[in-house]
Amino acid sequence: MDRSLIGDLAHTDHPIASPLDDDTVDALLRRALAGQRSVLDLGCGDGTWLLRALRLNRGLHPELHAVGVDLSGAGFERTRTAADAEGLGDRLELHVADAAMWSTDERFDVVLSIGAAHAFGGLVPAVEAAASHLQPGGRLLVGECFWEQPPNDAALGALGASADDYANLASTVEAVRSAGWEPLHAHVSSLQEWDAYEWSWTGSLTRWALEHPDDPSSAEVLTVAAEHRAAWLGGYRGTLGFVTLLLGDGGP
Ligand SMILES: C[S@@+](CC[C@H](N)C(=O)[O-])C[C@H]1O[C@@H](n2cnc3c(N)ncnc32)[C@H](O)[C@@H]1O
């Protein structure tokens, strides 16, 4: 089965493709979007962040306009259908494109990029790319991994990562500040949020495989779930952290 389809299937019960629970997502969106007119999401997954933003801002003025860009496009049709059914479709644009190359003349009040920094070559380039789409005075909401503790070989092997792929939390925040962006707020994902995300990811695939024993992809999907679960439980659980930063332009 195509990897983007497996990824979409893995997010059946947790459409946010990052270790953040529903209350956290809504709280971050409320804080970032209060009174704003436009939001762009770079590496938007299936567009769930934007659909939730539109739901939260329903009936508020000004009305929000939401644009998402993702290389995959998996789940876009489902999200557009949901937006149409809720009367929000005319305020949602989803583009299949490389977010690092995508361009528009529009400038946005808020730019999100959650868990997609790798598309830009790391956190600071992701912040710079997101900032290039912002109105003056706009806000960034950026989510990225960090090391909760120095990674051991099991964690690095499980992630296929090297120790310098991420920094600790303090250095992660300082890197963003050095690029000229000041944290206005942050959420550090709890182990409970990580567990909920990873069990949902592997559980959705496992359930699908058990319910489709005759599908030619069933064994492959079960193997992907088992390998991912082993990498999480035997590798990076408690070592890989995730922080979502609300950032304002710190000026020159
Ligand atoms: C961990 S997921 C996060 C998705 C979403 N931001 C969320 O939190 O639900 C990372 C996303 O980045 C997308 N991605 C990876 N490389 C990309 C690129 N060059 N341009 C756009 N999207 C990209 C993937 O397709 C995937 O949807």
Side-chain angles (χ1 to χ4, degrees):
M1 186 184 285
D2 183 86
R3 280 286 149 159
S4 67
L5 290 182
I6 291 181
D8 195 47
L9 199 54
H11 290 98
T12 303
D13 296 332
H14 196 300
I16 295 292
S18 301
L20 295 161
D21 69 24
D22 286 345
D23 289 346
T24 302
V25 169
D26 285 352
L28 287 167
L29 285 171
R30 278 202 187 89
R31 199 181 276 269
L33 290 170
Q36 307 292 354
R37 289 173 189 278
S38 60
V39 57
L40 170 67
D41 188 349
L42 298 173
C44 65
D46 70 356
T48 291
W49 280 86
L50 296 177
L51 180 57
R52 294 178 67 139
L54 291 172
R55 284 178 183 147
L56 287 173
N57 278 52
R58 189 200 303 271
L60 300 183
H61 294 281
E63 285 204 326
L64 193 65
H65 168 61
V67 178
V69 181
D70 199 283
L71 202 51
S72 155
F76 275 11
E77 202 176 313
R78 179 179 61 237
T79 304
R80 283 194 191 104
T81 301
D84 286 341
E86 297 176 42
L88 297 167
D90 59 343
R91 295 201 266 136
L92 178 65
E93 271 178 52
L94 296 172
H95 300 278
V96 177
D98 182 343
M101 310 292 287
W102 185 78
S103 70
T104 174
D105 291 336
E106 187 174 356
R107 292 291 170 266
F108 295 83
D109 296 330
V110 180
V111 179
L112 317 181
S113 187
I114 314 292
H118 54 282
F120 304 93
L123 177 59
V124 168
V127 165
E128 288 167 348
S132 72
H133 295 287
L134 264 192
Q135 297 269 20
R139 299 278 189 255
L140 301 179
L141 188 66
V142 179
E144 171 63 322
C145 293
F146 69 93
W147 296 127
E148 290 270 13
Q149 58 179 333
N152 59 21
D153 287 346
L156 293 175
L159 293 165
S162 67
D164 56 8
D165 282 353
Y166 306 112
N168 64 25
L169 181 57
S171 300
T172 300
V173 172
E174 280 315 305
V176 167
R177 292 194 65 237
S178 299
W181 291 86
E182 292 293 337
L184 299 166
H185 182 69
H187 175 81
V188 177
S189 294
S190 64
L191 190 57
Q192 194 179 349
E193 285 176 299
W194 269 107
D195 277 337
Y197 179 56
E198 300 288 7
W199 283 117
S200 178
W201 202 103
T202 56
S204 294
L205 292 184
T206 303
R207 192 179 67 230
W208 184 91
L210 297 185
E211 288 173 358
H212 298 83
D214 299 329
D215 190 288
S217 297
S218 183
E220 179 196 3
V221 168
L222 198 58
T223 300
V224 170
E227 289 177 353
H228 190 105
R229 190 184 308 111
W232 159 242
L233 296 177
Y236 60 90
R237 184 175 185 269
T239 296
L240 192 66
F242 193 84
V243 61
T244 308
L245 294 157
L246 179 62
L247 301 169
D249 190 344

